[in-house]
Amino acid sequence: MNSAEPTESDNNPNNSLDPADWSAYRDTAHRLLDACIDRLESARDLPWREPESPALQSEQPLPVSGTDLASLSQQLIDEVMPFATGNTHPRFFGWVHGTGLASGLLAEMVTATMNSNCGGRDHGAVYIERCVINWCCRVFGLPEGAGGILTSGTSLATVLALSAARVKTLGPNVRKQGLRAQPQLVAYAAAGAHHCLEKALAVMGIGSDAMRLIATDGPSGSLDLAALSRELDRDRANGCVPLCVVGTAGSVNTGRYDALDQLADFCQQENIWLHIDGAFGAWSVLADSPWSSLARGIDQADSIACDFHKWMYVQYDAGAVLVRDAEHLRAAFEDRPAYLEGNDVGLAGGSPWFCDQGIELSRGFRALKVWTALKTHGLEEFGRKITDNCEQAALMGRLVEAAEDLELATPVMSNVCCFRITKKAAGTRDIDELHRVITARLQLDGVAALSTTTIDGRTTFRAAIVNHRTCAEDIDLTVASICNQIN
Ligand SMILES: Cc1ncc(COP(=O)(O)O)c(C=O)c1O
């Protein structure tokens, strides 16, 4: 299939896919980098826009012949970049989307240049990942012998953590023999725990019905230990075997925390694996008081799943699984066919290999953007931003309480504020629909991006603030705009 137009790699003396003219490539790359930096610098003026451009059409001619990089680069600037999710904007509070960091742009250039495969072997990228894992274990107070790997996010980290728990609970043969001859495993978490737990149980063949959602204790909002104990007794009497108890550090809907220290004591007494879903909330350990103690007890976890792409503001995607005794992770995944044999020296050296601690053999160099973020800002600065976000959620809560037409759906505990329109203000209008309409209006007008959820059977606005660009004025403007839309 010959192209009529010359493309980048045409006339390349090495006949590779490299640019034929490195100097032209350099100019194009510099222009594109400038456009990226412009975009980051102007983040406040660039909210989400409806995706609409020629490049975004799903039906396009097959790219049988190539395009020159300069015009492709312009297309990225004009037709792709403007249609981002909008989570780079300071009034993006929807779902739990982190903002991204300027350091990430630089790290990603280096990552792409190195093109490392972090499944294993002995090269720089795996050392950076080992360093990031080591830092995380220290931040969360895990002991010597702890380890883990970076993942695409908490969902995958949960599968890996629960797989380690499964091998610990049932023994290594479960890897070969599966669950056929095994008792039913069950897992416990407070109501409101993230559905990635059920998905993990489903993909592991345990089945999502094995997830026992336990009531929370009214005043503390933490998993009710007495109810957990009753459910556990019932399950054991029925021949089920506990796989794990999951403590939530920052629930997705409301930012609620379980009393992790009490869960840890319970799990120790009952000899059950304690997994902590700390997708965003684990990082509250870096915040100032009172939020710094929300995740007290996290250091007792057998495993932790957490993300950098949420409350550590690192670019997507980047999460981690950390296991108190990394041998359990290796027992669940270590498996080297002959062609992956290690060596004492050379590129096949080094240990451990990350492919022995997860299901992916080929893995990208996610660690660099995390390492760069941590080195650029330091834990103290992250702690300050996390504290700011908690203060902003509290401010939003106060503004809601002061607004005539709004009320809080739940108390603000960390960085999540859920609130709704009062029945009186909605009048005869469909109140659930009104929340959805206003949420969409604010998004379409580029004012603010919140999402909605259901609490106690009623639709509410939900702001999950994991945004280092937000300031108090953004919170004022968001609440005021909602009030304006109601009437
Ligand atoms: C508490 C909690 N757990 C798990 C997840 C899933 O994480 P990820 O999207 O990184 O897979 C989320 C996502 O929002 C979450 O908030």
Side-chain angles (χ1 to χ4, degrees), residues 74-113:
Q74 198 56 48
Q75 194 178 30
L76 295 179
I77 294 169
D78 298 336
E79 298 179 28
V80 178
M81 269 211 289
F83 304 101
T85 321
N87 46 333
T88 49
H89 187 266
R91 286 189 297 282
F92 190 102
F93 308 127
W95 303 276
V96 199
H97 283 31
T99 330
L101 295 164
S103 62
L105 172 56
L106 305 187
E108 295 282 62
M109 282 196 310
V110 177
T111 299
T113 306

Side-chain angles (χ1 to χ4, degrees), residues 69-389:
L69 206 50
S71 53
L72 187 63
S73 166
Q74 198 56 48
Q75 194 178 30
L76 295 179
I77 294 169
D78 298 336
E79 298 179 28
V80 178
M81 269 211 289
F83 304 101
T85 321
N87 46 333
T88 49
H89 187 266
R91 286 189 297 282
F92 190 102
F93 308 127
W95 303 276
V96 199
H97 283 31
T99 330
L101 295 164
S103 62
L105 172 56
L106 305 187
E108 295 282 62
M109 282 196 310
V110 177
T111 299
T113 306
M114 290 173 70
N115 191 29
S116 299
N117 182 341
C118 295
R121 293 158 285 264
D122 199 20
H123 54 97
V126 294
Y127 287 83
I128 299 278
E129 182 160 347
R130 284 188 202 132
C131 173
V132 167
I133 291 294
N134 180 278
W135 283 343
C136 292
C137 290
R138 283 161 62 187
V139 164
F140 296 125
L142 296 180
E144 194 73 15
I149 67 171
L150 296 193
T151 62
S152 54
T154 289
S155 299
L156 180 61
T158 303
V159 173
L160 304 187
L162 300 199
S163 299
R166 179 173 58 179
V167 169
K168 164 89 187 323
T169 307
L170 298 178
N173 276 347
V174 72
R175 285 183 58 178
K176 279 195 280 184
Q177 295 166 356
L179 293 167
R180 272 190 313 280
Q182 298 291 350
Q184 175 66 50
L185 292 170
V186 280
Y188 304 85
H194 197 270
H195 71 292
C196 72
L197 293 163
E198 281 160 354
K199 279 193 170 180
L201 294 173
V203 297
M204 290 166 69
I206 296 170
S208 57
D209 279 355
M211 187 78 236
R212 304 283 190 261
L213 291 175
I214 309 293
T216 51
D217 175 38
S220 73
S222 174
L223 185 152
D224 182 338
L225 285 175
L228 171 63
S229 189
R230 282 194 299 275
E231 191 77 29
L232 182 63
D233 288 347
R234 205 172 12 246
D235 280 332
R236 279 181 168 150
N238 288 330
C240 299
V241 170
L243 170 70
C244 63
V245 170
V246 181
T248 298
S251 66
V252 65
N253 237 9
T254 62
R256 182 193 59 73
Y257 282 68
D258 286 320
L260 303 179
D261 47 359
Q262 292 175 21
L263 278 188
D265 290 345
F266 181 93
C267 287
Q268 198 162 23
Q269 275 162 28
E270 298 287 346
N271 191 25
I272 304 178
W273 183 283
L274 174 62
H275 172 70
I276 293 183
D277 177 349
F280 62 96
W283 299 105
S284 59
V285 297
L286 299 177
D288 288 350
S289 178
W291 301 286
S292 54
S293 52
L294 283 169
R296 190 173 41 227
I298 198 168
D299 56 328
Q300 300 302 311
D302 290 297
S303 56
I304 301 171
C306 60
D307 283 323
F308 303 97
H309 57 217
K310 293 187 167 74
W311 220 358
M312 291 296 277
Y313 317 107
V314 170
Q315 267 81 353
Y316 283 92
D317 51 18
V321 58
L322 307 171
V323 178
R324 177 174 213 81
D325 179 350
E327 285 306 323
H328 292 311
L329 199 54
R330 284 192 274 279
F333 293 107
E334 199 161 30
D335 179 23
R336 289 268 195 99
Y339 88 100
L340 289 176
E341 213 170 61
N343 197 356
D344 291 341
V345 291
L347 185 50
S351 178
W353 286 20
F354 289 110
C355 64
D356 291 332
Q357 300 178 78
I359 49 183
E360 290 163 317
L361 174 55
S362 294
R363 311 172 59 249
F365 189 11
R366 286 193 184 99
L368 191 62
K369 61 193 171 192
V370 181
W371 186 85
T372 314
L374 291 167
K375 296 276 273 188
T376 303
H377 299 286
L379 294 173
E380 286 176 357
E381 202 166 0
F382 281 110
R384 275 195 292 280
K385 295 317 295 179
I386 291 168
T387 303
D388 284 353
N389 288 162

